[in-house]
Amino acid sequence: MTSTSRLAAAALIAWAAGLGVVAARAQDYPTAPVRIVSGFPAGTTADISARVVGARMGQILGQQFVVENRVGAASSIAAAAVARAPNDGYLLFVASTANLVNAAMNPNLNFDFIKDFTPITLLTSTPTVLAVNPALGVKSVKELIDRAREKPDTILFGSSGVASSTHLALELFKSLAQVKITHVPYTGSPPVVTDLLAGRIHGYFSPASSVMEHVRAGTLVPLAVTDATRSAVLPEIPTMIEAGVPGFESVLWFGIVAPSGTPQPIIDKLSRAANEALKSEEVIQSLKAQSVAPIGGTPEDFRRYIESENARWSGVVASAGLKK
């Protein structure tokens, strides 16, 4: 055997040994609690999705799944922290539309969402509801557009942060309806809803889970949902397209991802657990009570979805002139 052949054989043995170590770690994983980091406050749809599904995943895998909230910069602070974490499967991240919007708006982020994360499973989606305070005196999207055109920049709309999906839904609306509405950014849905109920702002493209109790109580007025078709959980509310804004579609989704380089067997194990959790009747009912729909799918399914969403929101950011 030549020296080159011996080196090649040694490299092959080392590679095989490495695979064996990875397989053994995946078989034992998890041997300690797993942390899931959410970039939005407790009580938001991202937080609810992670807690409900994570609790069931913990039961399936025999370890506690703990949700941590690291709020700021439309979840970019949390994403950056997880991107730099060890890729051992013990620190995960709740990804959302906001991460793709952030990447499209700000090319100077200190991480690359597409390259620095490995998709695990698309967990949930929830309708986004265009809700307004009754004191605004509008009961339809057409009336809102008319009011905004009559009094440009006087209507105040909140968002859960600059570059969040709720911000982009507002910018898309302004662009398609050709209206001027003032954007007021917050650090998550709860403070937006608090000010909306108090009348300090007039409207919000809100996750359904944040406003439906107030809609049902009559303290907020729902004008439309932003899905392309009527929502299964809110079938009585028209879509933005039906309400007279052609081309308007904005889906609010949440999934879990891991730092790039996390061993594929661990990714697959987490994905199987997440999908099993999403089929649990207890999880389904808990999510439904919050107007959240379970989704699921393979890591590759989620990767393709992220790619399609990235292309769509990059286009929205570019057409709205929001890129920094």
Side-chain angles (χ1 to χ4, degrees):
M1 180 182 289
T2 66
S3 59
T4 301
S5 298
R6 283 195 296 271
L7 287 173
L12 182 60
I13 292 170
W15 175 76
L19 285 182
V21 170
V22 169
R25 286 177 181 171
Q27 186 173 359
D28 295 338
Y29 172 88
T31 59
V34 176
R35 291 180 293 155
I36 306 176
V37 179
S38 168
F40 297 101
T44 58
T45 310
D47 178 77
I48 291 167
S49 298
R51 289 183 190 277
V52 172
V53 180
R56 181 61 183 147
M57 289 176 68
Q59 294 171 357
I60 293 167
L61 295 176
Q63 284 289 345
Q64 189 176 12
F65 278 60
V66 181
V67 177
E68 295 182 3
N69 303 93
R70 301 187 190 181
V71 179
S75 85
S76 280
I77 291 174
V82 179
R84 294 190 293 267
N87 50 11
D88 55 10
Y90 288 95
L91 192 64
L92 310 177
F93 176 65
V94 184
S96 71
T97 314
N99 299 113
L100 302 179
V101 172
N102 251 326
M105 287 183 64
N106 186 359
N108 298 316
L109 292 173
N110 59 354
F111 67 96
D112 185 319
F113 180 74
I114 301 297
K115 294 180 180 179
D116 292 341
F117 289 100
T118 297
I120 297 174
T121 299
L122 180 58
L123 295 180
T124 63
S125 69
T126 186
T128 299
V129 179
L130 170 51
V132 297
N133 187 292
L136 184 61
V138 302
K139 295 182 179 180
S140 69
V141 173
K142 182 181 183 304
E143 290 181 5
L144 175 62
I145 292 172
D146 290 343
R147 179 71 61 83
R149 288 176 178 170
E150 289 170 9
K151 300 180 178 180
D153 296 319
T154 61
I155 296 176
L156 310 180
F157 262 60
S159 81
S160 56
V162 174
S164 66
S165 56
T166 58
H167 175 203
L168 261 289
L170 171 60
E171 295 298 337
L172 183 59
F173 175 58
K174 289 164 60 177
S175 174
L176 293 176
Q178 297 184 325
V179 294
K180 292 182 178 180
I181 292 174
T182 299
H183 172 223
V184 183
Y186 291 76
T187 57
S189 287
V192 187
V193 175
T194 296
D195 277 7
L196 180 58
L197 290 167
R200 287 185 282 270
I201 58 173
H202 303 107
Y204 180 33
F205 281 91
S206 173
S209 59
S210 298
V211 294
M212 285 313 297
E213 65 173 301
H214 306 296
V215 166
R216 294 183 179 112
T219 51
L220 292 178
V221 179
L223 302 185
V225 295
T226 64
D227 295 42
T229 58
R230 291 210 180 197
S231 166
V233 294
L234 303 171
E236 71 279 10
I237 303 177
T239 67
M240 290 290 288
I241 295 171
E242 291 174 327
V245 187
F248 195 108
E249 180 182 359
S250 175
V251 178
L252 191 58
W253 55 264
F254 302 93
I256 49 173
V257 298
S260 289
T262 300
Q264 191 62 42
I266 290 178
I267 295 293
D268 292 338
K269 195 169 190 177
L270 285 165
S271 183
R272 287 193 297 270
N275 278 281
E276 183 177 339
L278 288 164
K279 293 175 183 176
S280 162
E281 190 61 28
E282 180 182 355
V283 168
I284 292 170
Q285 292 305 318
S286 294
L287 294 174
K288 184 179 180 181
Q290 301 293 330
S291 301
V292 179
I295 302 178
T298 67
E300 189 54 38
D301 291 336
F302 193 15
R303 183 182 300 280
R304 286 193 294 267
Y305 186 75
I306 287 173
E307 290 172 352
S308 65
E309 283 285 279
N310 186 48
R312 185 157 70 92
W313 287 110
S314 293
V316 171
V317 167
S319 64
L322 296 174
K323 194 166 186 175
K324 293 182 181 179

